[in-house]
């Protein structure tokens, strides 16, 4: 068990790609008299919603594992507070503090959780708890990685049958700026793990808003996620984006954004499947859009904007 900065290694990192840097060249400005806004809003609208969704999908199962560990170490089936301290591959437990669960990882990174609802069946272990009917409500303070964080989140996760409903509030620092969150996503599980092999398929809808220092983004995205295999794992993701935001007195929106990726054991495969397409509009005028370019064995997916190119990921085939 490791903090999220390392949990993201492997398949999750492959999904997120090299989210981040804005690079040139600038595409032509169809209206030279209109000043180009900064790249912050474009990057945030294209990258942050997915990053927050993936963070929650890692964080809630991790919290269940930590509670299971704290209860085992404390020999108290009601434990939701205290301190877990990692040393190598082992943990020690202390009963203080009594108002939150504090986790000190071996590299000094600290996560803190205040748990207000923890309903579910832990008898079958953390995985069975999270994949079964449950209600989790908690706040979390942590720094997930170099680009996102620190975050101070309030989260609610409830599963009934094949439907998972999640809400995220609070704040997250992204690319050096603080954003206020009001996001909800619904997940419909279409298939799950089977004996001897894996077949996991779910479809998600993510909606809500992100409020930054100089812009507000309306989030409207969908996800289709498939994980199949036995000796090796093949993961396929399809993301659609129709987000809108205002920045510098101008209105922007992503229209019919589509990003498709597929991996085997964390490595990109099936180049013909990979897609990055859709339009970036200012008002009703196209000023950029999603695209991808293959240079040698490196495929870059990006969003071209009036102020530069936002890199969504670079993948080696």
């Amino acid at each position: 068990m490791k903090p999220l900065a390392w949990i993201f290694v492997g398949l999750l990192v492959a999904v997120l790609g090299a989210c981040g840097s804005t690079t040139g060249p600038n595409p032509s400005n169809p209206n030279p008299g209109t000043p180009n806004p900064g790249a912050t809003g474009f990057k945030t609208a294209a990258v942050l919603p997915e990053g927050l969704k993936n963070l929650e999908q890692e964080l809630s199962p991790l919290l269940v594992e930590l509670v299971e560990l704290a209860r085992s170490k404390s020999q108290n089936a009601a434990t939701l507070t205290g301190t877990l301290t990692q040393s190598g591959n082992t943990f020690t437990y202390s009963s203080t503090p009594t108002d939150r669960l504090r986790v000190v990882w071996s590299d000094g990174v600290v996560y803190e959780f205040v748990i207000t609802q923890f309903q579910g069946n832990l008898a079958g272990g953390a995985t069975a708890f999270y994949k079964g009917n449950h209600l989790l409500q908690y706040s979390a303070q942590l720094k997930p990685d170099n680009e996102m964080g620190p975050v101070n989140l309030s989260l609610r996760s409830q599963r009934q049958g094949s439907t998972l409903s999640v809400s995220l509030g609070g704040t997250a620092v992204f690319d050096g700026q603080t954003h206020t969150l009001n996001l909800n996503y619904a997940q419909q599980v279409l298939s799950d793990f089977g004996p001897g092999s894996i077949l996991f398929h779910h479809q998600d809808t993510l909606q809500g808003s992100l409020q930054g220092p100089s812009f507000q983004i309306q989030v409207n995205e969908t996800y289709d996620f498939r994980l199949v295999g036995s000796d090796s794992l093949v993961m396929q993701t399809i993301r659609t984006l129709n987000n809108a935001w205002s920045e510098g007195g101008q209105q922007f929106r992503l229209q019919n954004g589509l990003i498709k990726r597929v991996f085997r054991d964390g490595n990109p495969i099936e180049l013909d499947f990979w897609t990055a397409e859709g339009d970036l509009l200012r008002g009703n005028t196209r000023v950029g859009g999603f695209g991808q370019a293959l240079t040698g064995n490196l495929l870059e997916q990006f969003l071209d904007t009036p102020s530069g190119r936002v890199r969504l990921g670079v993948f080696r085939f």
Side-chain angles (χ1 to χ4, degrees):
M1 184 186 301
K2 296 180 180 179
L4 292 177
W6 289 273
I7 289 175
F8 285 165
V9 173
L11 293 180
L12 182 59
V13 166
V15 177
L16 291 175
C19 294
S21 60
T22 304
T23 62
N26 290 344
S28 60
N29 184 358
N31 186 356
T34 303
N36 287 337
T40 302
F42 299 121
K43 181 178 178 181
T44 304
V47 174
L48 185 56
E50 183 182 40
L52 288 166
K53 173 180 170 293
N54 287 334
L55 173 60
E56 191 283 330
Q57 289 189 332
E58 292 290 326
L59 195 58
S60 291
L62 175 63
L63 175 59
V64 178
E65 290 188 40
L66 293 169
V67 168
E68 181 183 39
L69 180 61
R71 290 181 174 183
S72 173
K73 294 290 184 181
S74 67
Q75 298 185 338
N76 182 345
T79 294
L80 293 174
T81 60
T83 298
L84 287 167
T85 302
Q86 183 186 36
S87 178
N89 294 323
T90 64
F91 286 84
T92 58
Y93 173 79
S94 167
S95 60
T96 58
T98 59
D99 60 346
R100 63 192 182 277
L101 181 61
R102 192 167 186 263
V103 185
V104 182
W105 302 98
S106 57
D107 61 355
V109 172
V110 176
Y111 290 178
E112 292 194 339
F113 303 90
V114 176
I115 305 168
T116 54
Q117 293 280 353
F118 192 86
Q119 299 178 20
N121 187 359
L122 257 181
T127 300
F129 177 102
Y130 184 73
K131 298 180 72 62
N133 291 347
H134 70 256
L135 173 59
L136 283 175
Q137 191 162 333
Y138 62 98
S139 63
Q141 295 184 34
L142 64 146
K143 189 179 188 306
D145 55 40
N146 291 332
E147 189 167 46
M148 187 192 305
V151 298
N152 190 344
L153 303 178
S154 58
L155 304 98
R156 187 180 190 275
S157 170
Q158 183 170 22
R159 188 187 300 275
Q160 290 290 331
S162 62
T163 301
L164 176 69
S165 300
V166 176
S167 62
L168 296 89
T171 61
V173 175
F174 177 72
D175 216 22
Q177 297 193 7
T178 300
H179 300 80
T180 302
L181 321 175
N182 183 11
L183 296 172
N184 296 277
Y185 73 85
Q187 180 183 103
Q188 185 71 31
V189 178
L190 303 179
S191 60
D192 208 338
F193 293 84
S197 64
I198 292 175
L199 175 57
F200 186 45
H201 181 199
H202 63 77
Q203 293 178 334
D204 303 355
T205 300
L206 179 66
Q207 296 179 323
S209 64
L210 301 170
Q211 178 72 54
S214 58
F215 54 86
Q216 178 171 326
I217 299 170
Q218 296 299 317
V219 178
N220 184 12
E221 302 193 11
T222 68
Y223 299 81
D224 186 284
F225 176 93
R226 298 172 189 258
L227 183 66
V228 298
S230 53
D231 295 333
S232 63
L233 294 177
V234 175
M235 180 178 66
Q236 172 184 295
T237 65
I238 302 174
R239 178 189 179 197
T240 70
L241 304 91
N242 289 281
N243 301 338
W245 68 100
S246 60
E247 185 177 11
Q250 303 176 60
Q251 301 295 319
F252 297 91
R253 58 192 172 99
L254 299 172
Q255 179 174 273
N256 300 323
L258 176 64
I259 299 173
K260 297 166 67 175
R261 299 169 179 171
V262 62
F263 306 84
R264 177 182 286 115
D265 296 333
N267 299 309
I269 60 171
E270 303 293 345
L271 180 60
D272 289 345
F273 177 83
W274 286 61
T275 303
E277 61 185 27
D279 299 322
L280 171 63
L281 303 181
R282 178 169 54 207
N284 293 318
T285 302
R286 189 182 193 277
V287 294
F290 292 102
Q292 61 184 31
L294 182 66
T295 304
N297 63 346
L298 294 179
L299 179 73
E300 178 186 5
Q301 292 185 324
F302 52 80
L303 173 66
D304 273 335
T305 81
S307 58
R309 175 166 290 180
V310 176
R311 178 177 292 167
L312 303 177
V314 177
F315 305 88
R316 185 182 301 275
F317 282 82

